[in-house]
Amino acid sequence: MLKPLRRVVRRLMERTGLIGPYYRWLERRSARGLGDEADDGRPMPPAELVVLVSGPSRIWFSERGRSDAAMFADLAARHGVDVAAGIGVLDFGCGAGRIARWLAPAVIAAGGRFHGSDLNPKLAGWCAANLPGAYATNGLQPPLALGDGAVDLVYAHSVLTHLTEATARAWLAEIARVLRPGGLALLTFHDEAYAAAWGPPDVAPRLAAEGYVVWNQALEGSNYMSAWTATARLAALAAAGFDVAEMIPGGVDEPSQAVAVLRTRT
């Protein structure tokens, strides 16, 4: 009885706009409880920014940031794009630099250009003040503050997972625009495997039937709203600007998101 009542209250808060202040209050409360430390030799954002992007753990922020940075670099190299070869890289949805704090120094040390962009000006501003590279704020809808063909590689961790289908389609087109011909996009998403293993109880059957499911229809672009995308639907959404190089399923033994490896057409 309690869970259905909570769902009713949450939907009422979504319709009235109260869910935003309530969700921000929950984030502030989580930040006050952030008690762990992580000394990894790199700038660490304040507690309220860590909570915005990764939950209440500095250790997770550090360790998972390092592993995700290595994952993206290794995956790019496997598809012919070396982050240590003086290239242009964009971290789309850079957050508080969880991944950028590991990748940006390597890209810049190799003579490359590193860009970051985020919907939240506090997150982009902290990165600009504390990490190497150029960081900007983007809107919920395109464009990005980059020219056509400006970068060789775009990666986005858990960005498509918080967008409606129409917004995701728009951003896929924009990512294709800022990539050079033959450039690479590495984009994580919640696929069928991830939905079955880690999603809310009703999301997997809905995803099988609908192809694209939005959970908690409010606060688009934030962690409150989650999007679930069938692999074939994501390929279809990207088809206007990309060829699919690889689709890596989501993890079932641990919660690792699926990854779409997309290449712009030459």
Side-chain angles (χ1 to χ4, degrees), residues 111-124:
R113 295 162 287 107
F114 191 91
H115 305 270
S117 190
D118 199 88
L119 178 64
N120 188 320
K122 290 183 179 179
L123 297 173

Side-chain angles (χ1 to χ4, degrees), residues 205-229:
R206 282 189 58 193
L207 185 59
E210 302 170 30
Y212 200 105
V213 175
V214 172
W215 202 263
N216 295 340
Q217 185 77 45
L219 305 182
E220 185 177 10
S222 78
N223 288 339
Y224 177 76
M225 195 188 90
S226 63
W228 307 76
T229 315

Side-chain angles (χ1 to χ4, degrees), residues 34 44-58 61 96 123:
L34 197 70
M44 177 65 66
E48 59 270 22
L49 300 189
V50 171
V51 167
L52 278 178
V53 298
S54 66
S57 172
R58 290 186 180 93
F61 182 91
L123 297 173

Side-chain angles (χ1 to χ4, degrees), residues 40-45 53 61-73 83 89-109 113-118 123-136 153 155-157:
D40 59 16
R42 284 164 165 74
M44 177 65 66
V53 298
F61 182 91
S62 173
E63 293 179 353
R64 191 58 185 265
R66 187 203 300 256
S67 65
D68 283 340
M71 179 271 291
F72 279 131
V83 299
V89 176
L90 169 65
D91 181 335
F92 177 52
C94 60
R98 186 176 65 84
I99 298 172
R101 63 206 293 271
W102 299 101
L103 268 184
V107 170
I108 292 171
R113 295 162 287 107
F114 191 91
H115 305 270
S117 190
D118 199 88
L123 297 173
W126 186 87
C127 289
N130 293 278
L131 301 179
Y135 298 85
L153 173 68
Y155 68 85
H157 189 282

Side-chain angles (χ1 to χ4, degrees), residues 90 92 140-144 146-151 154 160 163-181 185 187 234-243 262-265:
L90 169 65
F92 177 52
L140 183 59
Q141 299 291 331
L144 291 164
L146 289 170
D148 295 356
V151 294
V154 175
L160 298 180
L163 302 177
T164 64
E165 186 171 10
T167 304
R169 186 191 299 273
W171 278 114
L172 285 165
E174 178 66 358
I175 290 168
R177 181 189 70 80
V178 301
L179 276 167
R180 65 166 173 81
L187 313 174
L234 182 57
L237 290 172
F242 294 98
D243 292 320
L262 309 174
R263 190 178 299 280
T264 52
R265 298 193 181 96

